[in-house]
Amino acid sequence: MAQSHACCTVPPVVSKGYKEKGEWITIDGMKTYRTGPSDAKSALLVIYDIFGFFPQTLQGADILAHSDKEHQYQVYMPDFFEGKPVPIDWYPPDTKEKGEKLGEFFSTTGAPPKTVARVPKVVDEIATKYSSIKEWGVVGFCWGGKVVNLSSQSGTKFKAAAACHPAMVDPSDAPGVTIPYCMIPSKDEDKDAVKKWQEGIKTKNTVTWFDDQVHGFMAARGDLSDEHVKKQYEKAYGILLDFFHENM
């Protein structure tokens, strides 16, 4: 696990009714959440889960932007689904209809290669508008974790990457990763796939399991009214902050 830094202190987590601290802008034609100091030299691209802009995910972006007093970040979260995220009641896909709808989503709006191809353009446009940015990191949740893995290969624009309870972990993606990488799996991830992925990655990396948390606990599916989930959410964001502090 990454070293804990005294400068990285996660603020009290809001259980319900979170009001985001940032602003909404347009990047590459997409509604984009922007938070953090406008003069910060480091930036993070956040790739949400299939449920889009949820309060838990927006709160996470604000935590990343403001919690490390020595190393603050501009944080950007684009709406890659362009207003058409998955309704949260489709998950878990416990009926044939839900499974079919999710399958269609992953092959169309949520096809990872579609977003992977768009990421460099998004980063370039943000960098043009906000010239103070000198370096980039990337964070992905669930579905976004797959996009992060594929966006961390040769030629990447990112200096460090993190995937939280990542979906579609594929060991064959690991050898191509060229930057430091942090993975935070939940109890619902495939342990064998994650083990083989970590065996295959050649860069500096850390994998920290949250064996008592569900897939999505750091994003839309995190029940922050549950005190234990709330503490684990806070702990996991602390791990992210420490990782980016050390690698950016």
Side-chain angles (χ1 to χ4, degrees):
M1 187 184 296
Q3 176 186 350
S4 180
H5 296 275
C7 54
C8 305
T9 305
V10 176
V13 174
V14 178
S15 299
K16 291 182 178 178
Y18 184 75
K19 176 59 181 170
E20 64 269 17
K21 297 177 180 178
E23 61 179 344
W24 297 93
I25 62 174
T26 300
I27 296 293
D28 193 25
M30 295 179 287
K31 179 181 179 180
T32 299
Y33 182 61
R34 176 179 181 269
T35 185
S38 58
D39 60 348
K41 293 180 171 58
S42 300
L44 299 174
L45 182 69
V46 174
I47 304 175
Y48 54 28
D49 60 23
I50 58 174
F51 308 113
F53 296 124
F54 256 67
Q56 299 96 312
T57 317
L58 293 169
Q59 183 169 188
D62 287 338
I63 288 170
L64 293 172
H66 297 284
S67 300
D68 186 343
K69 300 308 178 187
E70 290 182 6
H71 198 148
Q72 293 186 313
Y73 305 90
Q74 298 184 47
V75 177
Y76 296 85
M77 190 191 315
D79 186 13
F80 286 110
F81 301 148
E82 302 191 69
K84 297 178 181 178
V86 168
I88 197 150
D89 61 4
W90 286 12
Y91 202 91
D94 48 13
T95 67
K96 181 182 178 184
E97 183 185 15
K98 288 181 183 179
E100 288 174 348
K101 285 181 176 179
L102 276 172
E104 182 181 358
F105 175 84
F106 285 124
S107 65
T108 55
T109 304
K114 179 181 177 183
T115 298
V116 171
R118 202 168 187 182
V119 164
K121 185 178 179 183
V122 167
V123 170
D124 286 346
E125 184 171 324
I126 294 170
T128 298
K129 290 184 177 182
Y130 303 95
S131 59
S132 62
I133 299 172
K134 305 302 179 190
E135 61 179 3
W136 280 91
V138 62
V139 185
F141 301 95
C142 306
W143 168 88
K146 179 67 171 180
V147 176
V148 165
N149 213 322
L150 296 175
S151 298
S152 302
Q153 312 279 315
S154 179
T156 182
K157 292 181 177 290
F158 302 112
K159 191 172 179 181
C164 308
H165 32 75
M168 300 173 274
V169 175
D170 184 349
S172 68
D173 293 336
V177 173
T178 59
I179 54 178
Y181 205 102
C182 171
M183 186 183 286
I184 301 178
S186 74
K187 67 178 183 179
D188 296 322
E189 271 65 74
D190 183 328
K191 278 188 162 52
D192 188 54
V194 171
K195 180 175 180 287
K196 289 178 179 175
W197 179 92
Q198 191 173 26
E199 288 170 352
I201 189 170
K202 297 178 174 66
T203 57
K204 176 183 177 183
N205 66 91
T206 175
V207 175
T208 306
W209 285 92
F210 279 70
D211 286 316
D212 62 351
Q213 294 302 301
V214 299
H215 179 75
F217 80 96
M218 294 175 70
R221 298 186 70 230
D223 179 8
L224 299 182
S225 64
D226 181 307
E227 197 59 36
H228 182 63
V229 174
K230 186 176 176 180
K231 286 180 180 177
Q232 297 299 81
Y233 174 96
E234 179 180 335
K235 179 181 176 182
Y237 274 97
I239 290 170
L240 287 184
L241 287 162
D242 288 337
F243 171 76
F244 284 114
H245 185 97
E246 291 178 6
N247 293 286
M248 288 182 68

